[in-house]
Amino acid sequence: MQLYWAPKTRSIRILWLLEEIGRPYERVTLDIRNGRQTDPDFLRLNPMGKVPVLVDGQAVVSESGAIVAYLADRFPEARLAPPLGDPRRGQYLKWLFFSGNCIEGAFAEKFGNLKLPEAAAGWGSFARVVDVLEGAVADGPWLLGETFTAADVMIGADLYFGMVAFRIIEPRPALTAYVERCQARPAWQRSMAIDEAE
C-alpha cells in the first residue's frame, strides 16, 4: 500500500489509521506547498489535487472518509469497524461522514467568518457541530462507547486540529478528555512523530 500524503495536513488521519492497523505501507510525500499535487501523474490518482490518496494494488481511494472506511473494512482483524449487520455500524458510518459533511463546513464557517442561516448550511452552524461533538464523546471513552473505531480516528483528528492546532474550538472538559485519550494511543504518537519528522 502507498499513502500519498503531506505533513501538517488532513493526511494525519490516514497515517494514524495505518499505524493503528499495523500493516506495512509506504509513504509518498508530496510537497503541496510547492505545487507537487498539480503534477499530471498525481492528478491521475486524484483529479482534485488533494492529499491523502491511498493506492492498494488496483484500488485507488481518495477522500479521507472513504480511505478510512476502505482500510477499516480491508483489515477486519484490526477491529476498527463494526462488521456488516452489527447495529453499531450505523453510528460508526454517521461519524465517518460527519467529519467531511459537518466539521469541515463548520471550520470553514469559523475561519472565514461566514454568516449563513443555520437552515441553509448543511452542517447547521459551528456552535451546533461543537455541541453535538461534545455530547457524542461525553460518556466515552469512544464514540461507540468502550470500542475504539476508525470513526474515532476521523473525529479525534478533527478535534485535535480544532482545539490544539487551530484553537478555534474553546476547550470543554469532555472534548479535552477525548482528545487526550486519542493522543495517548501509541499509534497516534507514532503518526505524530512521523508527521513532525517530515
Side-chain angles (χ1 to χ4, degrees):
M1 287 185 298
Q2 293 179 307
L3 171 64
Y4 288 79
W5 80 298
K8 314 287 185 291
T9 68
R10 293 172 185 85
S11 299
I12 193 69
R13 299 164 172 158
I14 311 309
L15 193 60
W16 178 13
L17 184 61
L18 286 165
E19 290 296 318
E20 290 281 354
I21 291 168
R23 298 293 295 265
Y25 67 95
E26 174 190 355
R27 291 185 310 277
V28 180
T29 306
L30 290 181
D31 184 355
I32 64 171
R33 283 137 186 104
N34 287 317
R36 176 77 167 76
Q37 73 277 19
T38 62
D39 285 356
D41 287 342
F42 181 69
L43 290 174
R44 279 191 279 286
L45 297 176
N46 185 1
M48 290 297 293
K50 300 186 313 180
V51 291
V53 173
L54 182 81
V55 177
D56 181 22
Q58 297 298 311
V60 178
V61 190
S62 58
E63 300 302 326
S64 292
I67 298 170
V68 167
Y70 174 85
L71 286 170
D73 288 344
R74 170 91 163 75
F75 298 102
E77 66 276 10
R79 298 182 182 195
L80 292 168
L84 290 175
D86 187 315
R88 299 173 304 152
R89 191 156 173 98
Q91 285 298 305
Y92 162 77
L93 291 171
K94 175 184 94 169
W95 293 116
L96 283 187
F97 289 94
F98 191 87
S99 177
N101 292 343
C102 296
I103 296 175
E104 292 280 341
F107 282 9
E109 173 190 328
K110 187 75 169 177
F111 276 125
N113 197 26
L114 300 174
K115 302 294 183 207
L116 296 171
E118 194 168 320
W123 60 92
S125 70
F126 178 82
R128 179 172 295 217
V129 167
V130 175
D131 288 346
V132 167
L133 288 169
E134 181 182 31
V137 302
D139 294 333
W142 307 111
L143 291 167
L144 298 186
E146 295 298 319
T147 305
F148 177 85
T149 69
D152 291 295
V153 170
M154 290 291 287
I155 300 301
D158 288 348
L159 283 172
Y160 169 81
F161 279 115
M163 294 176 63
V164 179
F166 302 141
R167 299 181 189 271
I168 60 171
I169 298 176
E170 292 294 322
R172 298 180 184 185
L175 296 176
T176 299
Y178 177 74
V179 170
E180 287 172 354
R181 286 191 296 275
C182 290
Q183 291 177 297
R185 295 186 67 83
W188 168 265
Q189 294 169 9
R190 289 191 303 272
S191 65
M192 288 303 288
I194 293 167
D195 194 73
E196 293 295 326
E198 288 289 326

